[in-house]
Amino acid sequence: MQRNRFEVAGYLSAKPALRSLPSGTRVANVRLGESYRYQDADGKSQQQTNRHNLSFYGDLSRIAMTLDKGDNIFVEGTIEQRQFTPKGDGVQRTVHEIVVRYCHLIAAPRKTNGKGDASATTAEETTVTDVEKGAFDHDAWPVG
């Protein structure tokens, strides 16, 4: 049995960039970062951050364009490998990307009043505050 399914939750590093392929298909690309903590051999707490290239094709590209830098999202998709040769140096490169099939916004970045103080006036912002207070403890996830 073979299976190509990838699930990850993390934070967007920038606003997605939209472009069109020669076929006319629209695609939005963005990077997602996810972090986890572990203890090294000396017992020190360490943090590892992984970054993933995400590609939203077709109708999903419109959904991706509603996302913004710092949004906490969950995506499900497939891992694909693509090779290309840049015009400048002519050296063939290989890129791994997640082709998104499903996307769910967990929480948008908390809004501030310009002074760095959060103004928790919406349910979305309250959810982010609850997460920061430990209602959802990412550090307690088992490391596999």
Side-chain angles (χ1 to χ4, degrees):
M1 179 170 103
Q2 296 179 353
R3 177 177 241 174
N4 183 359
R5 180 178 174 183
F6 187 81
E7 295 178 344
V8 66
Y11 295 91
L12 295 181
S13 62
K15 178 131 180 90
L18 184 65
R19 63 186 175 94
S20 292
L21 299 177
S23 65
T25 303
R26 294 166 46 126
V27 60
N29 297 100
V30 69
R31 292 190 68 163
L32 178 118
E34 51 92 9
S35 299
Y36 65 93
R37 293 186 186 276
Y38 65 95
Q39 287 187 352
D40 63 12
D42 298 330
K44 289 184 178 181
S45 180
Q46 301 289 329
Q47 180 173 329
Q48 175 71 39
T49 300
N50 296 314
R51 289 175 175 68
H52 307 282
N53 295 320
L54 304 180
S55 295
F56 297 79
Y57 286 91
D59 290 336
L60 281 176
S61 67
R62 284 189 285 179
I63 293 170
M65 294 312 294
T66 65
L67 301 173
D68 204 358
K69 179 179 180 176
D71 284 354
N72 187 2
I73 65 170
F74 169 82
V75 295
E76 178 183 317
T78 57
I79 298 175
E80 293 191 7
Q81 179 176 305
R82 183 171 46 89
Q83 294 181 338
F84 67 97
T85 306
K87 293 179 183 175
D89 60 6
V91 177
Q92 188 174 33
R93 306 219 192 278
T94 302
V95 177
H96 292 86
E97 62 187 5
I98 310 305
V99 176
V100 177
R101 307 282 187 232
Y102 172 81
C103 178
H104 177 76
L105 177 66
I106 297 171
R110 208 167 33 155
K111 306 289 187 255
T112 61
N113 61 9
K115 299 178 182 175
D117 299 330
S119 57
T121 57
T122 67
E124 188 173 72
E125 292 170 3
T126 303
T127 302
V128 173
T129 303
D130 290 344
V131 170
E132 290 174 351
K133 288 182 178 176
F136 182 75
D137 187 8
H138 180 77
D139 294 336
W141 286 5
V143 176

